Structures are given as C-alpha cells and as structure tokens.
Amino acid sequence: MKPEELRKLDSYFKRTFNPNMAVRARPRKDDSAEVYIGDEFLGVLFRDDEDGDLSFNFSMAILDIDLDDH
C-alpha cells in the first residue's frame, strides 16, 4: 500500500474504533497492511482496486480459545 493510504487508514481505524490501533506496512507485501492494538496483532487489511473501484477489506481471525471467558 502507498504511504498516504496507510496514513489515511491508520487515522480511520484510530478515529472509528480505538485510538491505540495502528496500521503498519507488511514486509515484502504491497497489497496489504497489518492492524494492531498496541503490540497485539488483530488482522490484515487488503487493498482491492479491481473493477476501477478502490476499497479496503479487513480480515480478522478469532480463535475459539479467545472466546472463552477468563
């Protein structure tokens, strides 16, 4: 992803969900970024520019062990 897109997405996630969220570039990947809260990895953000429309898709896996009450 382009640096400007990363900045805009970072601002969007902070404003919309949590000010501690961060969008970071992925090493050796230019079509996606990683999303974190602090040092905790949340998921991957993919850039989709097919059909002439630009959009971003966030994918977050939730493990069943994370659903258990502690």
Side-chain angles (χ1 to χ4, degrees), residues 25-48:
R26 295 177 76 191
R28 299 176 299 279
K29 301 279 185 181
D30 61 2
D31 65 341
S32 56
E34 296 177 343
V35 179
Y36 291 82
I37 290 184
D39 291 332
E40 184 75 23
F41 174 77
L42 289 182
V44 179
L45 190 57
F46 294 96
R47 185 181 196 274
D48 181 0

Side-chain angles (χ1 to χ4, degrees), residues 15-70:
R15 181 178 67 252
T16 305
F17 300 109
N18 185 315
N20 295 318
M21 292 183 91
V23 176
R24 302 178 190 163
R26 295 177 76 191
R28 299 176 299 279
K29 301 279 185 181
D30 61 2
D31 65 341
S32 56
E34 296 177 343
V35 179
Y36 291 82
I37 290 184
D39 291 332
E40 184 75 23
F41 174 77
L42 289 182
V44 179
L45 190 57
F46 294 96
R47 185 181 196 274
D48 181 0
D49 60 356
E50 291 184 25
D51 303 327
D53 293 323
L54 178 61
S55 65
F56 299 92
N57 301 303
F58 178 59
S59 178
M60 180 176 144
I62 302 169
L63 302 174
D64 64 340
I65 60 171
D66 291 334
L67 297 176
D68 295 336
D69 291 336
H70 296 280

